[in-house]
């Protein structure tokens, strides 16, 4: 499995654990005010990271590109900035809204990088088996 796939899958599991912990905290406390953060942790952290990992596992030529690791780090840093700030903001600290916005912009940039990866051409193999660049 490509390294970037493994990183996305491992990161997804960390966010799954955090999402479950946030859900348990809300259930135990009876305060469900942070449910949007819980949903973002699960959807952006767990599900989307796992989908990215699956895409790269199915496209090892694209996973081998440097831009795939840039995508991973940009997306992960954006989530690490955005999600805790969102959770705390929803617990009654509106001063964190600019931090949430900044993290969101980083995540959006990472999604655009992923779109570039998806829509960029793959390296094709010629009839002789020697790689050639498709255009």
């Amino acid at each position: 499995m490509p390294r970037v796939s493994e990183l996305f899958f491992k990161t997804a599991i960390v966010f799954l654990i955090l999402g479950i912990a946030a859900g348990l905290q809300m259930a135990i406390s009876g305060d469900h005010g942070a449910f949007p953060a819980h949903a973002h942790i699960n959807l952006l952290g767990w599900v989307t990271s796992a989908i990215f990992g699956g895409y790269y596992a199915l496209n090892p030529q694209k996973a081998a590109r440097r831009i795939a690791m840039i995508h991973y780090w940009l997306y992960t840093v954006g989530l690490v900035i955005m999600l805790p700030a969102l959770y705390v903001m929803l617990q009654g600290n509106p001063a964190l809204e600019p931090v949430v916005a900044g993290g969101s912009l980083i995540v959006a940039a990472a999604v655009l990088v992923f779109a570039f990866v998806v829509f960029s051409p793959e390296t094709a193999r010629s009839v002789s088996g020697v790689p050639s660049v498709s255009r």
Side-chain angles (χ1 to χ4, degrees):
M1 178 182 316
R3 177 82 175 127
V4 71
S5 294
E6 187 176 343
L7 287 170
F8 267 121
F9 281 128
K10 287 179 177 180
T11 302
I13 294 299
V14 170
F15 280 112
L16 173 62
I17 293 166
L18 293 172
I20 289 172
L24 287 171
Q25 186 275 328
M26 289 187 302
I28 291 167
S29 70
D31 178 3
H32 295 85
F35 80 87
H38 167 69
H40 279 77
I41 292 167
N42 285 319
L43 183 59
L44 295 178
W46 158 233
V47 176
T48 306
S49 291
I51 290 171
F52 290 153
Y55 178 83
Y56 287 120
L58 293 170
N59 295 280
Q61 287 182 325
K62 289 187 177 187
R65 295 179 183 170
R66 183 171 171 225
I67 197 165
M69 276 304 220
I70 292 169
H71 169 228
Y72 169 78
W73 286 109
L74 193 61
Y75 189 75
T76 302
V77 166
L79 290 183
V80 168
I81 292 169
M82 180 184 76
L83 295 176
L86 179 61
Y87 189 85
V88 174
M89 184 186 84
L90 292 170
Q91 294 292 335
N93 191 343
L96 286 174
E97 190 167 0
V99 177
V100 174
S104 297
L105 289 172
I106 295 169
V107 168
V111 170
L112 291 176
V113 169
F114 182 64
F116 174 81
V117 170
V118 169
F119 287 102
S120 65
E122 282 192 49
T123 302
R125 294 223 175 251
S126 70
V127 176
S128 66
V130 177
S132 64
V133 178
S134 62
R135 294 181 194 217

